[in-house]
Each structure stands twice: as structure tokens, then as C-alpha cells.
Amino acid sequence: MPASAQAHTFGHLYTLPVPFWLYAWGAAAALILSFMVAGWLLSVAPQAPAREGERAIQLDGLLAALRRGRVPQLLRFAGVAFLLLTIAAGLFGNRDPLRNLSMTAFWVVFLLGGTYATLLFGNAYAALNPWRALTDAVVRVVPGYGRGRIAYPAALDVWPALAMYLALIFIELGTRGTPFTLGTMLAGYTAINFAGVFVFGSSAWCRHGEVFSVFFRLVALLSPLDWRESGEDSLRLRWPGAVALEQRPTHLASVLFVLAMLASTAYDALRETQWWSALFWRDPLGIFTPLVGEMPIRAHVAALPWYRAWDTGWILLAPFIYFGVYWVTVALARTFTRTTRPLRELLLDFAFTLLPIVVAYHAAHYFTLLIDQGSKLMSLMSDPFGRGWDLFGTTDRFRAAYLPELDRVWHTQVFLILAGHVASVVLAHRVALRLFATRTQALLSQLPMLLLMLGFTIFGLWILCQPLTSTMIRE
């Protein structure tokens, strides 16, 4: 046996350019100033908020030419082919996630890249949905298949999509991510969609049950581009977030879905910090030590099942905790304004004003992953199964890891989080002007919302500046 060796790493912890407390005070001051400016300048409730500044983009000739060239059909076919390739690579390809196309194709290109593409260019996913394309292909062979067998219950709303979103987050965060697990999940999800269309019909299922349709539709509410299925003006340019002012959810399930989008990203960031990891493994509260007989970090094998239960519980509880915080905030706003509007209606009214925070957290946490891992798609497409192929001669392209300078990453994250919260403050104030009879009531309703935004901002910045679990045991 070799003798013990002494070694050290070449890396070091990143030190913030200025202390965290200064970032926190600066972000809080910017939010408060934004609140004051919005309260001063936004004094008239807009009658048709989503149509302010709206301009039609005349693309009818171009779109007609694209339809004649069957471009939409080709894009849908490409989406289906990409989905099937991802499933096949996951089930039959190399088990190494870095050599297999499936993990990058789904988690990075589709889910992350699709989110930001939807934010910029609108909900193109509604037209290119590969699962809808597959079920539509069955409808051409079996015409009665897509009509459904029972009417979709209104009380269900998007609860099925929310349940599948929580399952998706659990698979992403609570399990060991492998290509085979992903391939199995996508194959099972495809079967669920076939069953959902058969029972409820294509339109109803894609609107309420297909999780990615619901997810991308919510993100598209912030997009400056609004796609329409038909009409002379099929594409319209609007102020970003204008559609979120015009629309409101009809059921609390949609509110919980928005908060699940926010909570899942926040918890994903929190669970990577040493502070959170130490809560379990060092057990300062003395909760788990009696269960395993000693401090969990000294009994890793015995403590691991308890850690997985702890982690799973927080993954599933986080959306409901965020909903509880949101409920208390809106209840305080109702108390301050002494309005007779029911609390449930107020929860629905302000739900979509949280979407800028959702997208900002998402981008701040994942944009480096999209830059680094997304750039490897070209090389992975040449060898999708990780078998040593070089189909397009690009296997060696963009294989090296790439990350921007850490100070640029940090300041970009700070800007994204602060910008998202400022946008939410403005949207919430405009909603309040429309709901309440007086400007004073509108301002009073936003004081609890401002406190909520301040809490989210400081908490998000605190998470970003925490050391990660590079030296702590997690699994």
C-alpha cells in the first residue's frame, strides 16, 4: 500500500468585490427607489394594459411562403426526431452523462435554452410541441383518437401539469441523474401524453396537462412577441410583460405552479451551499444524530437514507412554503387597504407579477450551465450515443469547459435578480392601480409586496455568495 500523501488544490474561494452587506443594502435601496418612482409616475390605471404600445408585425406573406414550403411541418418533424433521439440515446447510449447526448439535449438545450428562447421570441413551443406532433400523427391514422372521451374537469385546471412539474424537479434534484433514467422518464412521459389526449382530447390536455405547454406559456407572458394562430396580424410586438398584466390565472393551481417555478430554482441553489448541507450532516439542531447514533457526517452510510428523505421533503414542500409566504403577503395587503375583494381573487390578481422574479432567478442560477454545457451540443451530435463516432466531423469541437470570469458571473447574477424584482414591483403596482379605487389604496397594497420583494432579493443574493458544497458530503 502506498504511504499517505500531502496535497492541496489549485483553486480558491471566490471573494466578492465588495462585502455582501453592501450588495444587500444597494439592492434594497434600488428596490425602494423603484417602488417610490413607480408610485409617483404610475398614477393612472391602464384600461387595456396589454395593448399599450402594441404594434402588428406584418409577416403574412412570409408566413404564407413558409407554410407553402412546409417549414412548420419540417420544424415539427425535427422536434419529434430530436425527442426520439434523446430517448434512444438515454436508453441505449453510454452511461456517462458527459458523453451521452440525452442529458445535454433535454436539461440544457430544451429546458434551459427553450425557456430563454420563449422569453425573447414568444411561445413558439405551442406550434412545435413534439408530443402534440406525435399525437396529431396518430389522429391522422385514427381520426377519433384526439377528440377525447370525457370533458376536462374545470376543477382540475393545471393540477396534473403541476404534479408532473414537481415530479420533474424531484427527478432533476432528488435522484442521481443518468442518461438511462432520463430516457425512461421521457418514454414514460410520452406514454402519459398519449393517454391524456385519448381521455381528454388534444386541446384540453395540452392546455392543462402537458407540463411543458403550461411552463412555456407562463414564461411567454413576459415576451415582447405574441404569436397568434390565425388572423391578419399573426405576430404582434408588445412591451415585455404586458400580456402578464392583461391575463390572470383562473385557479389557484396556476398560482402554485408559478411559485413552484420560483421555489424549485431557489431550493436548487440553496441545497448546494455549505450552510444548508451542514444543517443535516453536522446536525447543529440535534435532529438526526439520535436517529443514526452519531453525527451524520461520521455515519455516512447509515445517514444517507435520512438525507434523501430530508432532501426530498424540502423539494416537495418548497412550493407550498413559498405559497404560504405569498398568501400572508397578499392577506396583509388586503388588511392594509380594507378592501372587500376576496383574498382568493387577490391571490389570482397578483400571481403573474411574480413571473419576472421567476425568470430572473432561473437565468441567474442556470445561465452559466447553458453557456458551458450548451456549447458542447455540436460535438455530442456527432456522437449522440457516446460510442466513439464522428458523424459530422465535430466531435472535438467546443469540448473544453468555458466559464466567464467569476466577477462577471457574480455581477450578472446580481443584475438579473435585481432587474427581475424591479420589474415585478412595477407590474404589481400597475395591477394594484387597476384593482383599487384610489391611488392611496394601491400604494398601501404594495407595502407588503415590497417587503416580500426585499426578502426575496436579499435571500437570493445571500444564496449566490455562499460557498458551495465542494468540501461537504451531500450524497
Side-chain angles (χ1 to χ4, degrees), residues 22-68:
L22 193 56
Y23 279 108
W25 276 107
L31 266 182
I32 294 172
L33 180 62
S34 300
F35 173 81
M36 296 171 63
V37 171
W40 177 261
L41 296 180
L42 301 178
S43 57
V44 179
Q47 297 301 315
R51 294 179 176 82
E52 286 188 353
E54 182 181 279
R55 294 180 180 274
I57 301 177
Q58 301 294 341
L59 294 176
D60 298 327
L62 175 61
L63 294 177
L66 292 176
R67 292 189 187 99
R68 286 195 299 271

Side-chain angles (χ1 to χ4, degrees), residues 263-275:
S264 60
T265 305
Y267 180 67
D268 188 20
L270 178 65
R271 71 196 292 266
E272 297 293 336
T273 65
Q274 290 188 10
W275 177 85

Side-chain angles (χ1 to χ4, degrees), residues 306-346:
W306 290 103
Y307 172 78
R308 289 173 178 163
W310 152 276
D311 194 43
T312 300
W314 283 109
I315 291 172
L316 299 178
L317 282 176
F320 299 94
I321 294 173
Y322 270 64
F323 179 80
V325 174
Y326 175 64
W327 186 91
V328 170
T329 301
V330 176
L332 286 174
R334 185 173 185 267
T335 301
F336 286 2
T337 58
R338 299 181 180 179
T339 181
T340 58
R341 190 170 180 82
L343 178 59
R344 180 183 182 277
E345 295 302 311
L346 290 173

